[in-house]
Amino acid sequence: MMKKWIIVAESGSDITMEEAKRWGIEIVPMHVTMGEESRDDGSFPPEEICQFYDEKKILPKTSGSVPNDFTVVFDRIHQQNPEARILHLAYSAVTTISLDSSRVAAQGRDYVTIIDTKHVSVGQRAIVLQTLELLEREPDIDEKDLVRKVQDICDNTKMCFVPSNLVYLHAGGRCSNLALVGSQILKLHPTIEILDGHLLTTKKYRGSFGKVVQKLLRDYTEKNHLDKSRLWLIWSPYLSDEIKRLAENTAKELGFREISWIKTGCVITTHGGPGAFGIVGTVGDN
């Protein structure tokens, strides 16, 4: 039987190629420039981002998928499965050109539906997986209902992360010298939340990173009334095993039943830096 819907997402969703193959997801590359070299996100480990910065003291630059990236994927899907429809669950449109590129590529292709997830990284990944579950439950769902239900999934998916330090944010021009020095002296850790597609600094925590991670988990769970059935925990390269242990134990104490650790890829590692921690959950009645 032909598959009715095939989901497309950018590599910035941090779905690995192995997972994409297993779940039947098509991944469109975003891009990372290091010096004179531009490489596809997902084609190399994120540790190389950190190594490049350590050696050069220059932060790599990220860029979204261009129209040709989508054209290649859309055409391949249509050639292999001409009866299928394509659902592009897009990386937040306010953060990158990817969604606009997808729209350009979709011109003349009436089998493509595009939804702005208003999420990045593991938040986008969570939406993709929940949409796959929806399609499994309702394989004959019509497009109108699918779009409405996916938009509800997007609205009810919550993501935040906290960098271990502000060095990469400062190097990328996203925080001032004063903020950097203040964070180092006062041990301040800003929380960055994904709100309506924007990455916004909200609450600031003070203290050791381990205590910050534990406090963030408790506060974010309560604030968003997160469903206790499932939680995704985000880590970027070099987050310590001790911090992971503290986070997972705290999540278990809060009553979360299924806890998954997801490593950031090159795009979000470039922005959050090494040793960052994050949370993705869904609003629920528990």
Side-chain angles (χ1 to χ4, degrees):
M1 178 181 292
M2 292 292 187
K3 187 173 182 180
K4 185 174 182 180
W5 288 98
I6 295 176
I7 293 178
V8 169
E10 293 89 339
S11 60
S13 63
D14 294 334
I15 297 169
T16 67
M17 289 300 178
E18 293 77 15
E19 291 168 333
K21 184 176 181 180
R22 185 192 320 153
W23 297 328
I25 303 164
E26 293 285 343
I27 300 296
V28 178
M30 299 175 81
H31 309 283
V32 180
T33 301
M34 297 189 288
E36 298 299 319
E37 182 183 16
S38 180
R39 304 168 70 180
D40 286 352
D41 174 37
S43 67
F44 63 99
E47 284 80 4
E48 290 189 28
I49 298 291
C50 306
Q51 293 165 6
F52 181 85
Y53 180 77
D54 288 344
E55 293 172 4
K56 308 290 187 180
K57 300 305 177 188
I58 299 172
L59 192 67
K61 296 181 179 179
T62 62
S63 57
S65 310
V66 298
N68 187 61
D69 294 323
F70 285 100
T71 298
V72 168
V73 173
F74 290 166
D75 285 350
R76 182 177 68 244
I77 294 171
H78 192 58
Q79 289 168 5
Q80 294 175 350
N81 197 343
E83 300 302 316
R85 291 194 57 83
I86 295 171
L87 177 62
H88 174 210
L89 298 177
Y91 202 92
S92 172
V94 299
T95 67
T96 179
I97 64 168
S98 290
L99 185 138
D100 286 340
S101 295
S102 176
R103 286 174 174 161
V104 170
Q107 292 177 6
R109 296 173 170 85
D110 60 3
Y111 49 85
V112 178
T113 298
I114 303 168
I115 298 175
D116 181 0
T117 67
K118 298 185 178 181
H119 271 275
V120 305
S121 184
V122 182
Q124 184 187 11
R125 173 196 177 101
I127 290 165
V128 168
L129 295 184
Q130 291 174 87
T131 301
L132 284 171
E133 292 167 355
L134 168 63
L135 289 170
E136 186 174 343
R137 293 192 304 269
E138 302 181 46
D140 297 321
I141 189 170
D142 65 33
E143 181 177 351
K144 183 177 179 181
D145 285 342
L146 176 61
V147 170
R148 176 179 57 81
K149 290 185 178 184
V150 171
Q151 288 173 337
D152 286 343
I153 290 172
C154 296
D155 291 343
N156 288 321
T157 299
K158 304 297 178 182
M159 173 180 166
C160 72
F161 70 94
V162 57
S164 63
N165 60 66
L166 301 185
V167 172
Y168 277 44
L169 291 174
H170 178 261
R174 296 179 181 85
C175 80
S176 66
N177 289 330
L178 182 61
L180 175 63
V181 173
S183 69
Q184 293 170 335
I185 294 174
L186 300 175
K187 293 185 177 181
L188 289 175
H189 299 275
T191 302
I192 299 173
E193 292 190 56
I194 315 304
L195 299 172
D196 197 30
H198 297 265
L199 280 71
L200 300 176
T201 300
T202 53
K203 189 171 183 177
K204 293 182 180 180
Y205 290 91
R206 184 174 180 180
S208 70
F209 199 59
K211 291 182 179 179
V212 168
V213 164
Q214 291 174 299
K215 180 65 172 171
L216 175 62
L217 267 165
R218 296 187 182 102
D219 289 351
Y220 202 68
T221 297
E222 180 179 359
K223 172 185 173 182
N224 292 288
H225 307 287
L226 295 184
D227 184 349
K228 299 295 180 63
S229 65
R230 179 163 57 181
L231 183 71
W232 292 271
L233 298 180
I234 307 167
W235 67 286
S236 68
Y238 309 116
L239 181 68
S240 73
D241 290 340
E242 174 64 14
I243 297 297
K244 290 182 184 178
R245 183 185 63 80
L246 287 171
E248 188 160 342
N249 287 344
T250 302
K252 289 177 179 177
E253 290 170 5
L254 289 167
F256 287 101
R257 297 183 285 281
E258 180 184 329
I259 302 167
S260 301
W261 282 98
I262 310 299
K263 185 180 180 182
T264 62
C266 297
V267 169
I268 205 68
T269 297
T270 300
H271 300 298
F277 169 80
I279 304 165
V280 176
T282 57
V283 177
D285 298 326
N286 298 312

